[in-house]
Each structure stands twice: as C-alpha cells, then as structure tokens.
Amino acid sequence: MPIATVDVPRLDGTRCLIMGGGGFLGINLANALARQGAVVRAFGRAPADRRALDERVHWSSGYFEDQAAITEAARGQEIVFHLLSSSVPGSPGQKPVSDLETNVLGTLRFLDICNDAAVRRVVFASSGGTVYGPADRHPIAETAPTHPISAYGVGKLAIEKYLALYHHLYGLEYLALRIANAYGPLQSALKRQGVVAAMLSHALAGKPLEIWGTGEIVRDFIHIDDVVSAFLWAATYDGPHRVMNVGSGAGLSINQVASDIEAITGTAGRSRIYRAGRAADVPVNILEISLITRETPWRPRRAWLDGLRSTAEWLAAKKHAPLM
C-alpha cells in the first residue's frame, strides 16, 4: 500500500536524482517521489525489478565509478538522494580498504560533481544500526558516541563528516538519515541486507530459519514506507539539524522476529539453525527518534506485525506460495 499523500510533502516539479535507484530503498523512494509530483531520475545498475519502478521515473544505467555518467545524471538536479553502497553491514569478510576506495572516495568525487552542478541538497542514507557501535544507553540518540565496529559503519560515518565539511566549505546543504533495520516489499533475501526478508523467504520455502548467534541480539525494525516518508520530509526540511535517526524507537530480539514470522506463515514448531555470531553485530541497537519527530511531521506509522504480515503477503504472491 503506497504512503498516504497526506503524510508527506508535495514536491511538484522538483528535480530529484536517486543514486542507487535500483535497489530496495531506491525503487520505493523513486515511486513515492513520482507520486508526489517530483521529476525523478534514478541512477544505478539494472533495477532489481524494473517492473516495480514507476513509469514516470527516468532510469540511467551506470556505475558509481563512471564519472562521466554521474556528471550527466547530476546535471540540472536540485535534490540528490545518495543511497549507493558497495557493501552491507553483515558482510562475512570485511574489506576496509575496498570500502574506503569505493564508498568513501567515490562519494567525495560525487560531492565534487554535485557542487559543480549546483545541486541544492544531498540527502544521505546513513546507518543507525552501525555508526554507533556498542552503546551504553538505549534508545540511542544522535548525540551518543560513535564507535562503529564494521567497515560499513566507519564508511557511513566518514561520509557524514565529509558532508559536513562540504557544507562548511561550499555551502552544500545536506541531511544524513541514520536508518534502523528497514524491511518491506522489494527487499532481496539474497543480498545479506535484511533478516526479515531472509527469514520470510526461508519460511515460505519450507526451510529452517537461520539465525546468527543466540538470537538474543536486539534490533530496531522500521517498515520501508516509514523510511521513504522520512526521506520525503528530509527533502524539504530547513531546520538546523544535519543528522537524524529514523527508526521505530522500539527493539525486538531476533528470536522474537523468528517467532512472529513462524506465526504469520504457519510454520511454528519447525527447527531453526543457529550459526556462529558475527564480529560486526552489536548486542542491542534501538534508535531514539524524538529529534526527527520534533523537527518534522514524520512519525513511524506501520506497526510491526501489520508491516510484517503485508511483507509476507507480498513475498508469498511473488513466489506464488500461499500464506497460511
């Protein structure tokens, strides 16, 4: 179900570029922007599902390393949504040098292009799940110390700092949204991007659910509709803050997520597979969201079980598998 138009701002005629427009967040965001009247260009590799992309969205194929293609895509744009990343939080083999060269240095080159193209604002998809690292207090506010324990989180934090530098040096407006664990339609179960997508896919296929560690780590889950609406508000926000958390403000253990998925899919009682824990997984991550709810009209509106069921129904329809 699309985001209710009363809950997000209109962007009629605003020229918007989405870097990483073919992914889970990118397609959902592109479609929402088109519904709100924006003139949307999406850039990236081939979309995960081209049929899911609104026909009003202009698609540009290319790689982040292709400076000429990016320069062309950025020309004439007012707002840029930077969603691109070559790595994911749960990568089993972290490669800090590769992450730095591709994501951080690539973003610096891209910010130079945005500055030359007179882009008005960059909205960056940062990571509330990784930039803080192990925290002493929960929920975690934007003012909390940042001690990421993954190359992914270090890279996201570095990009935030460089955005602040470009704002200081050149006046480039930006807002970094630190996103919790997003889930919902169009998320791939094959790219290590989401425990919900992976578990639902396994449950619908009749396979045991796989859990890293004991299953007692706690995460903040936010439906993609709520993430997208936060990006739309970020496009129009003119307040003093440059970094905001986007989450539900509540936590669920991975074991609870598994139990809820088993209940919705009618697979309760089946065996689970517990694998060795990962070094990049912090024990608890719950985001404090009072800043964004105070500064904008945004609120998380999709309740967990409602969002989980709708996601399961979407995936079941895609797989032609009945939801029990």
Side-chain angles (χ1 to χ4, degrees):
M1 181 182 298
I3 299 168
T5 55
V6 295
D7 295 335
V8 290
R10 294 292 304 179
L11 291 162
D12 296 291
T14 304
R15 298 183 300 279
C16 298
L17 170 65
I18 303 175
M19 300 298 294
F24 167 47
L25 173 54
I27 294 177
N28 278 287
L29 177 57
N31 293 345
L33 285 167
R35 288 194 296 269
Q36 295 308 106
V39 180
V40 187
R41 179 174 296 279
F43 179 94
R45 289 172 288 185
D49 186 352
R50 188 62 179 265
R51 295 169 300 178
L53 196 63
D54 191 297
E55 62 183 9
R56 292 168 290 186
V57 175
H58 305 279
W59 177 259
S60 295
S61 293
Y63 293 87
F64 202 25
E65 299 83 1
D66 188 339
Q67 299 291 288
I70 292 176
T71 300
E72 177 60 29
R75 182 175 293 116
Q77 302 297 329
E78 298 174 78
I79 300 174
V80 170
F81 297 89
H82 179 19
L83 318 180
L84 274 173
S85 179
S86 65
S87 60
V88 295
S91 297
Q94 295 193 47
K95 298 180 179 179
V97 172
S98 176
D99 196 88
L100 173 68
E101 291 177 344
T102 303
N103 296 321
V104 180
L105 292 180
T107 295
L108 285 176
R109 297 185 184 101
F110 176 60
L111 292 181
D112 283 337
I113 290 171
C114 288
N115 198 45
D116 292 341
V119 167
R120 177 159 54 88
R121 169 174 298 195
V122 174
V123 182
F124 173 56
S126 189
S127 171
T130 64
V131 298
Y132 297 109
D136 295 329
R137 296 182 179 180
H138 293 89
I140 308 170
E142 291 84 351
T143 54
T146 49
H147 299 295
I149 56 174
S150 67
Y152 179 86
V154 171
K156 290 289 190 181
L157 189 59
I159 291 171
E160 288 185 16
K161 298 299 185 183
Y162 277 115
L163 281 165
L165 179 62
Y166 273 67
H167 175 69
H168 174 72
L169 294 177
Y170 310 117
L172 179 63
E173 290 294 331
Y174 79 94
L175 189 59
L177 297 182
R178 291 176 174 173
I179 308 165
N181 289 63
Y183 72 97
L186 300 180
Q187 189 172 39
S188 172
L190 304 176
K191 296 183 178 181
R192 299 181 180 272
Q193 292 178 325
V195 64
V196 172
M199 284 188 175
L200 279 175
S201 182
H202 276 230
L204 291 172
K207 299 178 181 178
L209 303 189
E210 295 185 0
I211 296 174
W212 299 92
T214 65
E216 289 307 304
I217 64 172
V218 174
R219 292 291 179 267
D220 185 338
F221 292 91
I222 180 89
H223 193 274
I224 188 62
D225 285 355
D226 287 327
V227 176
V228 166
S229 66
F231 273 85
L232 296 183
W233 283 114
T236 60
Y237 174 70
D238 61 0
H241 298 278
R242 305 293 175 185
V243 176
M244 292 183 182
N245 288 338
V246 178
S248 71
L252 291 169
S253 73
I254 302 303
N255 281 330
Q256 182 62 56
V257 171
S259 295
D260 290 341
I261 286 174
E262 289 166 345
I264 284 174
T265 58
T267 57
R270 293 184 182 175
S271 62
R272 300 176 184 175
I273 298 175
Y274 287 84
R275 302 194 182 280
R278 299 175 295 188
D281 285 336
V282 299
V284 180
N285 182 266
I286 306 170
L287 299 184
E288 169 64 57
I289 57 173
S290 60
L291 176 60
I292 190 172
T293 58
R294 185 176 69 246
E295 290 289 315
T296 76
W298 181 86
R299 302 289 185 278
R301 301 185 183 279
R302 295 299 296 269
W304 161 247
L305 289 178
D306 171 62
L308 184 62
R309 175 167 287 278
S310 67
T311 303
E313 290 170 348
W314 170 82
L315 188 58
K318 179 183 178 183
K319 291 179 173 292
H320 305 289
L323 187 63
M324 300 179 185

